Amino acid sequence: MYVRGVGPRVAEMLRAKGIETAEDLLYHLPFRYEDRQNPRSLDELKAGETASVIAEVRGAALLRTRKGSLFEMTLGQGRCVMKCIWFHAAYLEGKFHAGQTVAVYGKVEPSRSASHFKMIQPQFEILPDESADAQTRLLEVGRITPVYESLGGSRLASRWQRKVIFNLLETIRGAAPECLPRAILERLALPDRETALREAHFPREGTPFAQLQAAATPAHRRLIFEELFFLELGLELKRRRMKERAGIAFATNDKVREAIREVLPFHPTAAQKRALGEIVADMRVPTPMRRLLQGDVGSGKTIVALQAMLVAMENGYQAALMAPTEILATQHFLAARKLLERSSRKPRIVLLTGSLDEDRKRWNRGMINRGEAQLVIGTHALIEEKVEFDRLGLVVVDEQHRFGVLQRFKLMKKPGQAEPDVLVMTATPIPRTLALSLYGDLDLSVLDELPPGRTPIVTRRVTDERAGEVWEFVRKQVRLGRQAYVVYPVIEGTKDDHPELDFSQDEPMSDPSGIELPSQVSKARPGAPRARTGRKIEAAELFPRARQEANPWAKSGLKSAVEMHEKLRQGPLAGSRVGLLHGRLDADEKTVIMRRFERGEIDVLVATTVIEVGVDVPNATVMVVEHAERFGLAQLHQLRGRVGRGAAKSYCILMTGAPVSPLGEERLNAMVRTQDGFELAELDLALRGPGEFFGTRQAGLPEFRVANLVRDRQLLELAKQEAARFATQPEPGVSEAERARVWARLKEAWQRRYGLVEAG
Ligand code: ADP
Ligand code: MG
């Protein structure tokens, strides 16, 4: 389709932003609106609020100082004036002239000078004057005006998009095909597609402004619903298709029950019983199981999985357990071997990880291939080494975040054999509605109860000035026969350039001033909640460069595991047995260290986040995290979950070594306040947004154009219900043509947007 204003060059720029069709452009919604019908006047502003103001330029100047340049513009309205300030903004020179009308948007800050207020780095737009063409005036003055994320420099900024989108909407007037059945829209009181698009871009006069900013107008709701509906419909379909595949019907009888009873070391919790019941029910039916077992750290997922694997083994099938790290795989291997010693059947267990030597690997592969090994525990090597199982019945994936792996189990079974059952375990507590909706192609079991006898973990935050007291405390615990972890964000050196780390990227580390630069503003996606505007800035903080030098990180850097291991061993923890564990040790070394810690031959384990997932040493009662402000909430929660696994009282000490950002404060305070993984997950989701939270790209989850999973959770639920309903029972009012259109669109949407389509 030919779009006015889009030639080959521009098309190329748009493509770089993921906009390839006219439709993509139409779904690129404004990220905010400016009310230019009833502009706020300067004398009614309040310090601290974020506002949009239309006023006249009184003067502008570029000031050069020793530290850099500063562009200042004064806006006036009657007798009120306001200053606007931009840093390093030589590019603004000559842009403003006295008498121009300008719209600015930013946080209103108090000012000590003659003007009452100032705005720092506001977004701005010079409004068209009488000489501008009629259309520009129509779109930008005296109305609710859409503001867009730029699609390429100043050329494809808001003004350009307004025109192109306006013209596009004119071109398709009355001809935009509807993709949702009319009957559904009527039932939900949502507008048709064309109306929704038109009004989301160019809101009608009188549209409540707050509703617009919150993306909650009927127009927005319709477009969000549409996007989520197709997501949910796709997931629903995927699940149905899986149910049509040939799987294995495992039998459960007294023999199987006895095999489980023999090895079970304790009474399962009610939650464990329920989850196992759900899993076994899936295993009994002849369709492949795809189930997610979700349970907070320490809730006892492993034993549930082991029981499921026993069911498979008792039925004459092989079971495989895949862990994300060699440490965990080894730990599972040793634990399983110990448990199964009590089994009268003595199943063969083999370990398969990448670091085994070639002979060993070949030997183990042979055992697996000939069916001589009943239980196989390993890492990704199970997939990478092209292990072919003799009769694979059940695959358990522990702590799985990367979903791509699900598709690859086919590689592990012999061609022509039935699809194995798959159980995915995760300790990432995902709010239930989100889990149900996003992992719609998996069934869900939740362990919402901890095994008995746990005492709550005492969590404290301290600054590292009090390190002396912390080490004293660790020594005391060691004297009592307990063990401790001390975790650092980096292995060695002071720079956080290690892949092992997974910091949440919300800190303005590269720009410690906290001043929001235009580049940061444009990074956010449309429809997503906007980044908060910069913190309150003092005059002395105005120059990012100066602040950077004063930034303590620049000088002191980070404490590292290697360095601190030495220091602690020789200093504060001299006399204790201190070990070191990090991702750069080779696998054998890691295993040896872990084994020694498990056996109590190491008192204090200095480590990086390699110990984050799954490690289980009940005698460890202290978790010290240094530079705790550098870790994400999910990580901190995982780390804390390493202690509190036995009956003894446990402690988590979060040490901070630098000024903590406001977001960091929120995270640390949340850790102190609650131990509930789901509550922390909710907060994490709210702080980071769904993309960061789920690690969108890595998880293969969709990027949304208009929806936002935190904001739009209710619509997500609605979309899920509607999708299920649409897939099951044709609604009377829905015509064949409408249904066909929905399916066609689903196919296209999934292929293009989500790329989640599973082959075969
Ligand atoms: P996670 O869910 O984090 O993987 P684990 O499976 O590692 O948790 O279990 C945590 C600890 O709790 C282990 O030491 C395990 O042996 C123990 N455990 C699990 N279930 C029970 C139970 N029902 N009663 C007592 N201890 C249990
Ligand atoms: Mg585990």
Side-chain angles (χ1 to χ4, degrees):
M1 175 172 182
Y2 172 74
V3 179
R4 235 169 87 189
V6 181
R9 281 262 325 271
V10 168
E12 199 51 53
M13 289 166 83
L14 292 180
R15 198 164 303 129
K17 293 272 179 179
I19 295 195
E20 298 181 7
T21 64
E23 187 194 292
D24 290 344
L25 199 53
L26 285 175
Y27 279 84
H28 182 70
L29 297 189
F31 73 85
R32 65 179 180 89
Y33 300 83
E34 264 177 28
D35 188 353
R36 296 184 186 166
Q37 286 173 114
N38 320 290
R40 304 278 304 279
S41 69
L42 280 181
D43 57 10
E44 61 182 34
L45 292 182
K46 283 188 218 56
E49 69 176 335
T50 299
S52 119
V53 170
I54 297 179
E56 191 185 282
V57 177
R58 292 275 164 88
L62 183 69
L63 312 174
R64 291 187 194 281
T65 70
R66 222 159 16 94
K67 289 164 177 166
S69 69
L70 180 70
F71 190 85
E72 232 186 59
M73 173 179 73
T74 310
L75 287 178
Q77 212 176 50
R79 275 188 294 141
C80 289
V81 288
M82 180 173 80
K83 270 215 168 78
C84 297
I85 295 164
W86 290 269
F87 306 107
H88 307 299
Y91 63 91
L92 290 177
E93 207 172 9
K95 198 155 186 112
F96 300 103
H97 308 288
Q100 274 173 335
T101 307
V102 179
V104 291
Y105 175 80
K107 183 152 174 226
V108 180
E109 311 265 359
S111 162
R112 261 171 272 156
S113 61
S115 63
H116 294 301
F117 298 118
K118 65 179 181 233
M119 276 189 186
I120 294 171
Q121 310 263 112
Q123 297 176 34
F124 69 90
E125 194 167 66
I126 300 168
L127 298 190
D129 58 18
E130 306 300 333
S131 68
D133 62 281
Q135 189 182 54
T136 303
R137 288 193 60 80
L138 169 78
L139 296 181
E140 299 191 351
V141 186
R143 65 174 306 138
I144 296 177
T145 307
V147 181
Y148 298 91
E149 180 191 5
S150 171
L151 290 172
S154 55
R155 168 121 168 62
L156 305 187
S158 280
R159 180 160 291 161
W160 179 86
Q161 289 181 60
R162 275 177 212 133
K163 281 192 181 183
V164 170
I165 291 171
F166 184 83
N167 289 330
L168 195 52
L169 284 166
E170 283 310 299
T171 317
I172 61 167
R173 187 178 278 279
E178 178 55 82
C179 57
L180 292 173
R182 196 149 295 277
I184 295 184
L185 293 175
E186 273 165 21
R187 182 152 42 75
L188 303 178
L190 294 172
D192 67 69
R193 186 158 173 240
E194 191 179 320
T195 306
L197 284 169
R198 190 179 308 280
E199 295 190 350
H201 286 286
F202 298 100
R204 240 188 299 190
E205 210 174 305
T207 309
F209 197 67
Q211 237 181 47
L212 275 171
Q213 300 292 54
T217 64
H220 283 98
R221 287 173 54 80
R222 140 81 213 215
L223 297 173
I224 294 162
F225 175 81
E226 175 189 316
E227 183 163 42
L228 297 175
F229 177 83
F230 283 105
L231 168 72
E232 292 298 339
L233 191 59
L235 290 171
E236 176 76 27
L237 225 61
K238 234 174 121 177
R239 180 152 71 175
R240 277 156 192 265
R241 228 178 274 147
M242 184 53 72
K243 299 249 144 91
E244 286 160 12
R245 301 243 278 261
I248 305 158
F250 295 97
T252 48
N253 47 33
D254 288 343
K255 191 178 88 108
V256 175
R257 270 184 282 276
E258 179 51 31
I260 290 178
R261 205 171 304 125
E262 268 180 356
V263 301
L264 210 58
F266 30 58
H267 290 294
T269 63
Q272 284 171 323
K273 278 190 208 156
R274 179 170 16 90
L276 183 66
E278 289 162 0
I279 292 165
V280 170
D282 278 2
M283 292 178 71
R284 288 166 55 91
V285 294
T287 57
M289 169 170 79
R290 291 292 180 272
R291 187 169 279 275
L292 181 67
L293 176 60
Q294 196 186 39
D296 210 341
V297 276
S299 58
K301 295 182 289 292
T302 318
I303 197 77
V304 174
L306 199 74
Q307 293 177 75
M309 295 194 287
L310 279 168
V311 172
M313 280 151 40
E314 283 301 311
N315 277 268
Y317 284 87
Q318 293 167 295
L321 172 65
M322 241 171 82
T325 64
E326 302 217 348
I327 292 180
L328 274 180
T330 311
Q331 181 182 293
H332 280 314
F333 172 72
L334 296 171
R337 203 167 60 176
K338 199 160 146 220
L339 269 183
L340 295 180
E341 266 167 19
R342 310 207 280 181
S343 158
S344 48
R345 288 153 180 87
K346 302 270 174 290
R348 291 287 285 274
I349 315 176
V350 304
L351 178 68
L352 198 102
T353 62
S355 68
L356 294 180
D357 65 48
E358 281 308 318
D359 285 349
R360 187 83 219 164
K361 272 196 248 181
R362 197 170 320 117
W363 176 263
N364 286 357
R365 270 202 307 262
M367 301 251 302
I368 298 168
N369 188 261
R370 293 188 300 273
E372 288 159 21
Q374 285 87 49
L375 182 55
V376 181
I377 295 179
T379 54
H380 267 220
L382 285 176
I383 293 174
E384 276 137 27
E385 306 270 341
K386 304 208 168 36
V387 184
E388 201 179 63
F389 283 71
D390 179 46
R391 251 185 129 210
L392 184 58
L394 173 66
V395 182
V396 178
V397 188
D398 189 13
E399 313 286 0
Q400 174 61 41
H401 306 291
R402 280 154 299 240
F403 267 52
V405 102
L406 271 181
Q407 266 96 294
R408 300 169 64 184
F409 290 127
K410 289 187 199 61
L411 299 177
M412 290 162 62
K413 70 176 176 72
K414 289 187 170 155
Q417 284 183 346
E419 192 86 27
D421 282 349
V422 176
L423 179 67
V424 179
M425 302 197 286
T426 178
T428 310
I430 303 156
R432 191 174 173 93
T433 46
L434 284 187
L436 279 173
S437 305
L438 281 175
Y439 299 66
D441 53 340
L442 301 182
D443 296 298
L444 181 65
S445 292
V446 180
L447 294 182
D448 50 8
E449 176 185 7
L450 293 179
R454 304 272 168 87
T455 41
I457 300 166
V458 177
T459 304
R460 293 267 183 279
R461 41 175 301 201
V462 298
T463 62
D464 62 3
E465 284 153 18
R466 293 175 57 191
E469 293 165 54
V470 173
W471 305 134
E472 170 62 41
F473 180 74
V474 170
R475 280 200 302 273
K476 218 155 84 196
Q477 287 284 309
V478 170
R479 275 201 301 275
L480 290 171
R482 312 267 179 254
Q483 290 162 283
Y485 299 95
V486 185
V487 175
Y488 291 91
V490 294
I491 299 177
E492 201 166 9
T494 55
K495 288 231 300 283
D496 52 345
D497 53 358
H498 301 293
E500 196 171 338
L501 283 172
D502 163 38
F503 294 137
S504 51
Q505 291 293 313
D506 54 20
E507 310 298 285
M509 276 305 166
S510 54
D511 171 27
S513 66
I515 293 169
E516 219 168 278
L517 300 175
S519 67
Q520 283 173 306
V521 172
S522 65
K523 247 190 305 189
R525 279 184 294 120
R530 306 312 295 177
R532 51 194 75 201
T533 38
R535 299 200 297 278
K536 194 174 142 192
I537 303 169
E538 298 302 324
E541 291 182 293
L542 287 185
F543 295 94
R545 293 259 165 70
R547 273 271 292 178
Q548 212 144 28
E549 279 150 25
N551 173 12
W553 292 114
K555 261 189 232 123
S556 64
L558 295 170
K559 290 182 217 165
S560 70
V562 170
E563 168 209 27
M564 287 306 290
H565 170 245
E566 266 321 293
K567 279 202 181 146
L568 290 173
R569 215 157 60 106
Q570 290 170 12
L573 299 182
S576 307
R577 294 161 300 174
V578 185
L580 173 66
L581 185 73
H582 58 71
R584 249 193 264 141
L585 299 178
D586 70 41
D588 283 346
E589 288 174 298
K590 277 192 256 184
T591 311
V592 168
I593 304 273
M594 252 349 272
R595 286 288 284 155
R596 290 181 54 208
F597 189 64
E598 272 166 35
R599 287 200 297 251
E601 296 164 13
I602 290 176
D603 302 312
V604 180
L605 189 60
V606 174
T608 57
T609 50
V610 277
I611 58 144
E612 182 186 328
V613 262
V615 170
D616 183 31
V617 180
N619 189 48
T621 53
V622 186
M623 167 61 66
V624 180
V625 183
E626 285 225 58
H627 295 301
E629 73 282 0
R630 305 275 296 170
F631 292 84
L633 249 189
Q635 262 182 328
L636 289 174
H637 181 62
Q638 283 286 338
L639 286 170
R640 178 167 59 186
R642 297 309 109 218
V643 296
R645 303 190 140 236
K649 188 158 184 177
S650 289
Y651 305 85
C652 174
I653 301 167
L654 305 171
M655 272 210 262
T656 54
V660 180
S661 72
L663 280 178
E665 285 290 332
E666 280 194 64
R667 289 199 296 263
L668 295 173
N669 292 339
M671 283 293 293
V672 173
R673 190 174 64 237
T674 180
Q675 218 173 303
D676 179 334
F678 282 88
E679 194 181 328
L680 290 171
E682 291 276 358
L683 184 72
D684 201 20
L685 187 61
L687 291 180
R688 288 201 288 167
E692 279 283 320
F693 180 86
F694 292 112
T696 307
R697 265 164 232 290
Q698 144 191 31
L701 289 171
E703 291 255 20
F704 294 101
R705 313 202 266 197
V706 290
N708 170 317
L709 291 185
V710 179
R711 187 191 61 198
D712 303 323
R713 237 187 273 183
Q714 277 174 336
L715 279 173
L716 184 65
E717 269 307 290
L718 183 66
K720 184 176 174 59
Q721 286 163 23
E722 288 296 332
R725 183 166 165 174
F726 181 87
T728 11
Q729 20 154 314
E731 204 160 332
V734 180
S735 73
E736 265 317 303
E738 279 180 315
R739 291 187 72 78
R741 232 173 301 142
V742 168
W743 295 127
R745 172 134 184 115
L746 176 72
K747 211 168 145 202
E748 184 214 299
W750 270 63
Q751 267 157 11
R752 263 207 66 199
R753 304 293 315 175
Y754 307 141
L756 276 173
V757 201
E758 198 171 317

